Amino acid sequence: MANQYEKLVAKKARLKEKMDREGFKLRQSKYYENRQARKARSRRLIQKGALLEKYSQANNLSVEQTEELLKTFADYVNAHKPDKLKNNQPNN
């Protein structure tokens, strides 16, 4: 009876170790996915910022001035946006 109990305790310890390893793998996977999403967002923001500077010659404007410029033309741009660009789905 004691031998069976010891086997069960050992099995419980092995299962706990396995659960801990799987939990670590899950956390690591989530961290990797979040990191990839942050990198993709950063890249997209950098690309859009570069396009903004290129086409609006805003490279010498401060952040506040750039925001003011965008606010000035936002209504017009959104009202005259081509239909193919009006969907809310981002094109990565």
Side-chain angles (χ1 to χ4, degrees):
M1 189 74 153
N3 192 17
Q4 186 178 9
Y5 175 74
E6 290 172 3
K7 286 181 183 179
L8 289 173
V9 169
K11 185 175 181 179
K12 179 182 175 184
R14 285 192 308 272
L15 289 174
K16 182 172 179 358
E17 288 176 10
K18 185 176 180 180
M19 284 177 50
D20 291 343
R21 282 193 307 268
E22 293 300 320
F24 175 75
K25 286 181 185 178
L26 180 62
R27 287 189 309 275
Q28 194 175 29
S29 175
K30 285 181 181 179
Y31 171 78
Y32 179 77
E33 289 173 7
N34 290 339
R35 192 172 125 222
Q36 292 301 101
R38 283 193 313 270
K39 281 185 172 185
R41 182 175 187 268
S42 294
R43 177 176 169 78
R44 190 176 63 250
L45 291 173
I46 290 168
Q47 289 174 328
K48 287 183 178 185
L51 289 171
L52 171 66
E53 285 187 351
K54 177 181 176 181
Y55 289 106
S56 66
Q57 298 173 352
N59 54 344
N60 59 349
L61 300 178
S62 69
V63 173
E64 292 81 15
Q65 291 170 328
T66 304
E67 183 177 15
E68 186 74 26
L69 176 70
L70 291 173
K71 282 181 180 178
T72 303
F73 295 106
D75 291 334
Y76 176 81
V77 170
N78 288 327
H80 293 86
K81 193 183 300 184
D83 288 338
K84 67 180 181 178
L85 300 177
K86 285 186 180 180
N87 64 354
N88 293 327
Q89 299 297 324
N91 293 332
N92 293 332

